[in-house]
Amino acid sequence: MTNQAVQKSKEPFARIVKKSEMSGKNVAILRIMAFLLAIVAGGVFILCIGENPFAVYGAIISGAFRSVMAFQGTVKIMIPLLITSLGVTLAFKMKFWNIGAEGQIIMGAIFASYFALFHDTLNHTLLIFAMFIAGIIGGGLWGLIPAFFKSKFDTNETLFTLMLNYIALHIVSYLRDGPWMDPGSQGYSKIATFSKNAMLDRVMGVHIGWIIAIILTVFVFIYIKYTKQGYEISVVGESHETARYAGMNVKLITLRTMFLSGAICGIAGMVQATGSDKTLTTAVAGGVGFTAIIVAWLAQLNPVMIFIISFLFSVLEKGSSVLQSSYGLSTDCADVLQGIILFFVLGCELFVRYKFVFRKKGGA
Amino acid sequence: MDNENTVKYAIECKGITKTFGSVVANDNIELTVKYGEILALLGENGSGKTTLMNMLSGIYHQDKGTIYIGGEEANINSPVDAMSLGIGMIHQHFKLVEVFSAGDNIILGTEKKKMKPKALKEEIRNISKNLGLEIDPDKKIYNMSVSEKQTVEILKVIYRGAKILILDEPTAVLTPQETEKLFALLRKMKEQGCAIIIITHKLNEVMAISDRVTILRKGKSIDTVNTSETNEKHLTELMVGRPVSLEIERNEVENKEKILKIVDLTVMKGDGTKALDDISFNIKTGEILGVAGVAGSGQKELCETIAGLMPAKQGAILYKKENIIGKSPSEIIKLGISMSFVPEDRLGMGLVASMGMVDNMLLKSYKDKKGFFVDRKPARELAKKLKDKLKVVTPSIDTPVRLMSGGNVQKVLLGREIESNPNLLITAYPVRGLDINSSYTIYDLLNEQKEKGVAVIFIGEDLDVLLELSDRIMVLCHGKITGIVDARKTTKEEIGILMTGGTIGEEEEND
């Protein structure tokens, strides 16, 4: 202590200072700059592993768009990501940290698969409808459980939802190895491929999940912005005290919103299983539930932005799958690129609110 | 500085400027304090008092300007730097470890913890004896009263060798009697050669304790005057920037009717202690019932219990002869009972910080219309109306209220409550931290309501205001009612005694 006093401490080299609120336009410019910087930094990484960055970026873009089929592939990746991001957004608006989208997707898929496997003789439209409702209920219940314990015993929802992911995952393993094992698989444990009757129809070459996703985008947008329930979610998210003060039933709103959040994720699971995978596997969620969290926050919980960002994510993912075949790069390289981009884009949020002030030369 | 003065200032601030984003909190401030002097720093809220003091105590760093301590240029980068320069700050909210003893708190963070406990206690006792203080070093903080805690805070900085003391609104939590004690202590320290800066917005205290007053207005240092050569009126004018009248009118309303009767109400806190202990009182229409009491005497619980946010353990709350205990908050709102509580952080639970005025207008009324969708049209009109009527300063009615200044936020809150046409208006600390002008706007609003026949419960901190505004004053102490007195006949001293749990001769009969 005395040391410091004797030393006559200098003004610090750099200080972080709060900025005035930036205009929306400047914030957008800052974010675009961050994105461009991320591309440059990613390019440096590609250079380091001995490839031409322009060629690699070109390959990613062309990989996602080069043919109708490639584009359909991109859309297929986008569908569950978009739906799930919308789902978690509802919970996040309420500041309920739903990390359990992964499990909610799986439960939605399990419930829907029950109808696909055991009631595939139903009328096609009726079957699709039943699977849709089953997906909603499966995901919704999986969202309702942590909400119930949160409102009843104030348990930590982050841990709770996270743990439920693993439970859901192992339920699929159990079903695959036990009751739902495909009898025709000759001992190899897998669940049977769904019959044609239980598969989602295709419109313009892609299963109708894309239509559902667009409808849900509009629905969530309106729900958050213009409905009483959406208003309640915002108030509860801001402060439980305020919500109670306004005469809101916080428990009910928490339960309802988490059911809805889980239900939308469950729809993603149903769509993925019956539209894309055509069977139920442990990979039905495949990390989408976690990526969706990033998408939702990058989009600042705005449904329209979620649409755009989940599209960009899908382009990156589809495009980088091509890297493996044409450049022999492992898909892990694509993950590194994704990480670099996220680092820059999320990092720029610091500069939206703060700036650095450096010590003036020759000054004190 | 032409005529070089030989007087060494304890603190000399020259051209201090500090901005937060686009807000200039301190603009070219000049301030000096000598050793053996008490300087009062006076200014309305948001005039930059606390920002300036935070720079002196190393929490912020100025953008421009220099600070001289004891005549030498100083760079204060952290609270440790400030301490080693002999500057000690006593914050408005105490920074003590509740589960530690007084002694532990005093030595916390110093090298002295290696000393033998016995010698240490002796040292603490000696320091307190020198200042005429009584403190038991072994007493745990959570067992202490507010004023004892403050004493520990002061000892803490003195123990660290502070010769310059900064106190941020130290009297806000004290009764008049405790304030007197604190002032006696400050005077003694002044005699011992300490330099003291006291932040306050109570003018009578400025007159009582300080030698000089520096007035800040909108981040600028307006003037420094000798206390002996000024008076309250002059100080107010300097503070506000123009002459203001300090009169609150109090009219008598005819045809009063009993509207709320509280009978033997007991409410428990979360920790199992009694927040309200068997209280009974009533209020009539067209009356302002002031509630006085040291902070934390049960005011918050009283508000929340009437509003249905807290369960009652015993007793009844009769509103128009109907017991409303057990009713949900929304049912109580519908009955015409409005509650607005302005807590220390100002936004509290009455408003949603991230929403604009429009969405905040909706808070209690969004369910009124049928259907699935929110109707924002009436809210938008109400927001516009309030903005004009109460002169709310905001860039737009959709700007989040957290970006508005405290005074404007409170106008929005109280405005909304009044627009809901309540029969009973409960308002706690509505002028907390407001400047003089905004405060008077709020008093006028409350009087207007009273004349309309609304029953108003006004929970306040400033006894002078309570005495001028209320018809009757109810005093709470540790959750008990220690007296209900006629505001026209009582005195500040009487209320002060009641606030500490004493009794006075005549009490108004409470049926």
Side-chain angles (χ1 to χ4, degrees):
Chain A
M1 226 162 71
T2 42
N3 240 355
Q4 264 165 313
V6 175
Q7 253 179 13
K8 276 278 161 225
S9 50
K10 277 186 176 174
E11 192 180 335
F13 175 65
R15 288 177 285 128
I16 296 178
V17 175
K18 207 165 180 184
K19 263 187 192 174
S20 45
E21 298 258 331
M22 286 173 87
S23 71
K25 197 178 134 198
N26 285 341
V27 173
I29 291 174
L30 192 72
R31 295 217 173 101
I32 290 168
M33 294 240 307
F35 184 72
L36 292 178
L37 273 176
I39 299 286
V40 173
V44 171
F45 166 72
I46 296 166
L47 265 180
C48 289
I49 53 173
E51 299 291 341
N52 177 356
F54 294 102
V56 169
Y57 282 132
I60 291 178
I61 301 288
S62 81
F65 296 103
R66 66 184 158 189
S67 63
V68 176
M69 231 175 87
F71 184 67
Q72 284 169 350
T74 309
V75 174
K76 255 184 173 171
I77 295 173
M78 178 179 170
I79 293 166
L81 185 61
L82 170 59
I83 298 178
T84 312
S85 305
L86 292 167
V88 293
T89 292
L90 286 181
F92 288 168
K93 264 263 162 193
M94 197 174 63
K95 303 231 166 76
F96 189 102
W97 308 123
N98 180 12
I99 315 297
E102 195 84 354
Q104 289 144 18
I105 293 172
I106 296 173
M107 288 313 284
I110 292 176
F111 273 53
S113 298
Y114 169 76
F115 285 93
L117 291 170
F118 303 107
H119 295 279
D120 60 343
T121 48
L122 280 171
N123 167 294
H124 177 67
T125 320
L126 193 67
L127 179 62
I128 297 292
F129 184 71
M131 291 193 302
F132 188 73
I133 298 295
I136 288 177
I137 293 175
L141 283 179
W142 222 237
L144 206 54
I145 296 169
F148 173 78
F149 283 93
K150 169 91 178 175
S151 59
K152 199 95 183 160
F153 305 109
D154 199 24
T155 51
N156 180 319
E157 76 267 23
T158 317
L159 284 175
F160 210 119
T161 49
L162 187 66
M163 291 301 136
L164 281 176
N165 289 341
Y166 300 107
I167 297 179
L169 194 64
H170 290 299
I171 291 177
V172 177
S173 311
Y174 163 73
L175 292 171
R176 179 195 63 197
D177 300 342
W180 287 10
M181 196 167 96
D182 183 4
S185 70
Q186 292 150 352
Y188 177 69
S189 63
K190 73 180 201 55
I191 291 169
T193 306
F194 300 158
S195 70
K196 193 116 208 310
N197 191 34
M199 287 179 201
L200 284 187
D201 303 87
R202 288 167 175 273
V203 175
M204 292 163 67
V206 187
H207 63 83
I208 54 163
W210 68 271
I211 300 177
I212 297 175
I214 290 175
I215 294 173
L216 279 174
T217 309
V218 177
F219 167 77
V220 172
F221 180 76
I222 293 173
Y223 185 78
I224 289 177
K225 226 168 167 185
Y226 297 108
T227 67
K228 289 179 182 175
Q229 298 191 355
Y231 180 75
E232 286 174 340
I233 292 176
S234 311
V235 176
V236 171
E238 184 84 19
S239 150
H240 286 199
E241 286 293 298
T242 305
R244 260 162 44 78
Y245 167 84
M248 293 175 187
N249 186 339
V250 176
K251 281 183 187 174
L252 180 83
I253 294 167
T254 307
L255 291 174
R256 184 182 69 208
T257 308
M258 265 313 284
F259 179 83
L260 209 56
S261 172
I264 294 178
C265 296
I267 294 175
M270 171 265 177
V271 162
Q272 185 64 16
T274 59
S276 264
D277 300 350
K278 298 167 181 98
T279 181
L280 178 65
T281 70
T282 48
V284 60
V288 165
F290 295 117
T291 315
I293 297 169
I294 302 170
V295 172
W297 278 117
L298 275 181
Q300 316 232 302
L301 307 184
N302 174 340
V304 178
M305 285 305 291
I306 287 175
F307 189 89
I308 296 168
I309 287 179
S310 58
F311 179 70
L312 292 177
F313 261 75
S314 311
V315 167
L316 186 62
E317 191 160 336
K318 172 73 180 134
S320 23
S321 69
V322 179
L323 288 183
Q324 196 174 14
S325 46
S326 42
Y327 285 86
L329 290 177
S330 101
T331 44
D332 297 334
C333 290
D335 287 341
V336 172
L337 277 182
Q338 229 178 50
I340 290 174
I341 292 176
L342 279 178
F343 179 80
F344 275 82
V345 175
L346 293 174
C348 91
E349 295 304 310
L350 177 75
F351 296 94
V352 171
R353 286 203 277 153
Y354 301 96
K355 62 182 176 189
F356 286 97
V357 174
F358 294 98
R359 180 169 62 207
K360 287 172 211 91
K361 271 189 195 145
Chain B
M1 294 264 159
D2 290 331
N3 46 342
E4 275 276 326
N5 214 327
T6 41
V7 176
K8 252 219 242 162
Y9 288 113
I11 297 180
E12 187 176 6
C13 296
K14 273 193 184 161
I16 300 290
T17 299
K18 173 80 188 170
T19 52
F20 295 101
S22 58
V23 182
V24 185
N26 278 181
D27 186 3
N28 213 3
I29 286 195
E30 309 278 332
L31 177 133
T32 55
V33 201
K34 285 175 255 180
Y35 286 111
E37 179 188 56
I38 298 179
L39 177 86
L41 194 58
L42 186 68
E44 302 191 330
N45 250 85
S47 58
K49 296 171 296 198
T50 307
T51 307
L52 181 61
M53 292 305 116
N54 279 339
M55 279 186 280
L56 288 176
S57 55
I59 294 171
Y60 297 146
H61 195 280
Q62 70 269 25
D63 296 340
K64 262 189 228 141
T66 11
I67 300 172
Y68 299 88
I69 305 290
E72 280 181 58
E73 190 174 330
N75 257 301
I76 311 170
N77 292 327
S78 71
V80 177
D81 287 359
M83 212 60 247
S84 58
L85 288 164
I87 303 172
M89 178 141 177
I90 288 125
H91 293 268
Q92 205 171 351
H93 304 288
F94 303 138
K95 315 242 182 260
L96 296 170
V97 184
E98 288 270 312
V99 292
F100 281 10
S101 69
D104 289 340
N105 266 289
I106 290 169
I107 58 157
L108 196 70
T110 67
E111 299 289 315
K112 299 287 178 64
K113 62 185 164 208
K114 290 155 198 154
M115 266 171 80
K116 284 215 174 79
K118 214 171 192 180
L120 215 121
K121 271 177 213 160
E122 207 43 52
E123 201 181 338
I124 293 172
R125 283 212 182 88
N126 279 337
I127 295 176
S128 35
K129 213 178 280 168
N130 278 342
L131 291 163
L133 293 172
E134 280 293 319
I135 194 101
D136 174 9
D138 289 322
K139 195 169 179 183
K140 296 271 196 282
I141 299 297
Y142 60 81
N143 284 327
M144 289 188 171
S145 72
V146 180
S147 99
E148 279 179 298
K149 285 182 193 172
Q150 195 171 52
T151 313
V152 175
E153 280 278 12
I154 294 173
L155 275 176
K156 198 165 102 184
V157 296
I158 294 173
Y159 184 80
R160 278 145 221 247
K163 293 294 275 174
I164 302 166
L165 235 72
I166 304 169
L167 299 105
D168 190 358
E169 302 207 15
T171 58
V173 288
L174 302 180
T175 61
Q177 285 81 0
E178 287 169 336
T179 304
E180 258 322 301
K181 256 197 217 155
L182 172 72
F183 284 180
L185 170 65
L186 294 183
R187 287 194 192 99
K188 194 166 252 171
M189 292 178 58
K190 173 178 123 180
E191 278 162 28
Q192 294 179 0
C194 287
I196 296 169
I197 302 179
I198 176 168
I199 301 180
T200 178
H201 53 234
K202 292 184 188 163
L203 292 167
N204 51 349
E205 293 177 1
V206 173
M207 299 305 293
I209 184 81
S210 67
D211 300 309
R212 287 190 303 144
V213 192
T214 295
I215 296 110
L216 300 188
R217 191 199 314 149
K218 291 181 182 146
K220 293 197 173 79
S221 42
I222 296 300
D223 203 353
T224 301
V225 291
N226 289 325
T227 313
S228 53
E229 294 160 14
T230 186
N231 56 43
E232 294 190 17
K233 196 155 183 289
H234 180 225
L235 287 175
T236 316
E237 282 178 28
L238 285 172
M239 195 159 87
V240 181
R242 60 190 156 69
V244 282
S245 109
L246 291 174
E247 301 283 310
I248 306 174
E249 56 179 318
R250 170 163 52 196
N251 295 325
E252 194 58 47
V253 178
E254 306 281 306
N255 298 330
K256 290 183 182 177
E257 257 176 72
K258 212 177 276 178
I259 182 163
L260 184 82
K261 191 172 168 184
I262 289 191
V263 190
D264 302 339
L265 184 69
T266 298
V267 174
M268 309 302 275
K269 266 188 239 173
D271 59 9
T273 55
K274 279 180 185 167
L276 291 173
D277 190 356
D278 202 24
I279 64 166
S280 301
F281 68 93
N282 62 60
I283 176 163
K284 302 185 190 82
T285 56
E287 176 188 54
I288 296 182
L289 175 72
V291 179
V294 183
S297 297
Q299 295 97 325
K300 186 168 197 246
E301 289 80 6
L302 179 65
C303 294
E304 296 198 348
T305 313
I306 301 178
L309 297 170
M310 250 184 128
K313 185 159 179 274
Q314 268 163 15
I317 302 173
L318 301 173
Y319 173 76
K320 293 181 174 167
K321 293 188 173 146
E322 187 192 357
N323 191 356
I324 59 167
I325 282 182
K327 283 198 194 295
S328 73
S330 57
E331 284 170 318
I332 292 173
I333 292 169
K334 279 196 198 109
L335 285 172
I337 298 178
S338 136
M339 194 272 277
S340 54
F341 187 95
V342 180
E344 273 131 14
D345 64 2
R346 303 258 202 98
L347 277 164
M349 60 177 166
L351 294 172
V352 184
S354 63
M355 292 181 177
M357 271 180 83
V358 176
D359 277 12
N360 270 301
M361 290 302 127
L362 280 168
L363 193 61
K364 279 176 164 179
S365 58
Y366 75 101
K367 270 191 246 177
D368 292 355
K369 277 243 171 94
K370 277 190 188 146
F372 192 64
F373 293 98
V374 170
D375 184 7
R376 283 191 170 77
K377 228 186 236 158
R380 192 163 284 280
E381 270 154 31
L382 181 61
K384 271 185 204 150
K385 186 177 146 194
L386 278 186
K387 189 180 173 214
D388 296 340
K389 190 178 156 195
L390 303 179
K391 301 189 186 71
V392 178
V393 183
T394 170
S396 105
I397 50 174
D398 290 310
T399 309
V401 291
R402 76 182 143 82
L403 298 178
M404 292 159 59
S405 78
N408 288 307
V409 168
Q410 271 149 276
K411 280 183 204 166
V412 173
L413 175 61
L414 207 62
R416 182 190 71 205
E417 293 307 308
I418 287 171
E419 286 301 326
S420 70
N421 285 322
N423 299 320
L424 172 64
L425 180 70
I426 307 166
T427 176
Y429 315 117
V431 297
R432 183 170 247 164
L434 288 195
D435 57 48
I436 292 185
N437 272 308
S438 312
S439 299
Y440 278 77
T441 314
I442 303 252
Y443 302 145
D444 289 344
L445 281 175
L446 292 177
N447 263 323
E448 205 176 276
Q449 288 300 301
K450 169 182 155 184
E451 273 153 44
K452 267 174 66 187
V454 176
V456 181
I457 298 181
F458 172 80
I459 298 175
E461 338 178 70
D462 191 335
L463 292 184
D464 294 304
V465 173
L466 276 172
L467 283 167
E468 283 186 63
L469 183 69
S470 338
D471 295 291
R472 290 185 299 151
I473 297 178
M474 174 169 99
V475 187
L476 286 174
C477 175
H478 299 305
K480 281 193 178 118
I481 295 179
T482 46
I484 297 175
V485 292
D486 188 335
R488 290 173 181 80
K489 290 178 194 153
T490 188
T491 62
K492 215 165 134 182
E493 286 65 38
E494 251 182 24
I495 293 180
I497 293 167
L498 291 171
M499 278 165 75
T500 45
T503 45
I504 48 166
E506 46 172 338
E507 265 179 49
E508 196 188 273
E509 199 47 42
N510 172 41
D511 51 331

